[in-house]
Structures are given as C-alpha cells and as structure tokens.
Amino acid sequence: MTEVKIPPVGESITSGVIAAFHKKTGDTVKAGEAILTLDTDKVSSEIAADTAGVVTIVAKEGDEVKIGQVVATIDPAGAPAAPAAAADSPVPAAEPAPMPQGQPAEVKAAPTAAPAAAEPRGEHAMPLSPSVRRIVEEEQLDPSHIEGTGKGGRLTKEDVLAAAAN
C-alpha cells in the first residue's frame, strides 16, 4: 500500500486546500497520473500518483491539509498488467525534471490554473492567486473595485479580506 502525501510546494507553505479530486475511491490510477489538485495561497498544484494501482481516498474536497499529510492510498495489487495508452492521457515521464523554486518533481502546476487565474481588474488585467480568487468568489467581490497593494498593484489576500470586511 502506497500512501499519497501532500508534498512540500514551497518554503513558506505549510498547508493547502484540496480543490478537487480527479479520482474516486476504487478508481485505477497510473504512475504519474494526477490524483488531486491542491490550492495554496501561492499556487495550484496537481498531486500525481507515484505508483499504479487502485486509489482509496481518505480526505475530502475542501479539506485543509498539511504538508506530509496522507490524503489517499494506492494498492498496487489492483494495478493493470499493462498500461493502456489513451490519446487524452498524460504521458508520465520516466524521471520528471525538478520544478523551479525547490518544488518536488511530482508537483505540477495545474494546466487550468493560468487561464482561470487571469481575471480582468479595471484597465489592467492582473492574475489573481488561488487564495485571492477563492475569497473573491466566496465573498462575491468585484476585483476591479479593490485597490491592490501587492507588487505591481496586484491584489493580495489581505486586500480582499479587508474589502470583504467592509
């Protein structure tokens, strides 16, 4: 039984929120295939399976999880004998290249994170971090009406929390 743990995703990040599971308990997963998407205040990352097998989910979507916490297990006994190649399946690399900023190789940026993060803000469209985007959506705020104090006028988590309090 292989444990799927939340890997370190940056120096100052100690936890994240499970945004979505891509597999359900009982689903078969291939090595390198994404199991879940983790949102932190700095990045959205896909957490991939280290081995092939049958997944058992032990956490829930929306749970805040700490780095190193077990969120699923993989039973390699249930793995298919030969991996079937599908046109829409990601091709797992034999040895993935390390991610920049000290991120482990198994953490990959979510392919949908960039388009979803780019939301218009007044005259200059600025990307919103996952945590800022989540607060804006939850509080139903208009980011174009919030003054950004971050680098280049970007909205920070504190900016949107202050706007939500008003």
Side-chain angles (χ1 to χ4, degrees), residues 30-34 46 48-49 83-97 105 108 111:
K30 298 177 202 162
E33 192 173 6
E46 285 188 346
D88 61 350
S89 294
V91 178
E95 188 63 37
K108 299 175 185 164

Side-chain angles (χ1 to χ4, degrees), residues 7-160:
V9 290
E11 281 183 35
S12 63
I13 299 172
T14 59
S15 67
V17 175
I18 298 174
F21 275 103
H22 304 296
K23 298 291 178 180
K24 301 179 299 217
T25 296
D27 284 355
T28 302
V29 67
K30 298 177 202 162
E33 192 173 6
I35 296 176
L36 65 102
T37 299
L38 179 73
D39 279 348
T40 69
D41 60 339
K42 301 199 186 280
V43 70
S44 288
S45 303
E46 285 188 346
I47 309 302
D50 289 334
T51 60
V54 176
V55 176
T56 301
I57 304 297
V58 296
K60 297 182 301 227
E61 284 186 14
D63 281 357
E64 183 168 351
V65 291
K66 299 201 178 301
I67 302 303
Q69 183 174 334
V70 176
V71 294
T73 58
I74 300 173
D75 182 2
D88 61 350
S89 294
V91 178
E95 188 63 37
M99 296 292 288
Q101 301 175 358
Q103 293 183 356
E106 65 271 10
V107 177
K108 299 175 185 164
T112 59
E119 296 182 17
R121 283 203 32 231
E123 293 178 17
H124 308 286
M126 290 288 222
L128 301 176
S129 72
S131 63
V132 168
R133 186 174 58 246
R134 185 172 41 248
I135 295 167
V136 165
E137 290 170 359
E138 287 174 359
E139 299 293 332
Q140 298 177 346
L141 300 172
D142 182 355
S144 65
H145 292 99
I146 303 171
E147 185 68 30
T149 61
K151 183 177 179 182
R154 291 182 184 210
L155 290 180
T156 64
K157 188 174 179 180
E158 291 75 25
D159 296 334
V160 293

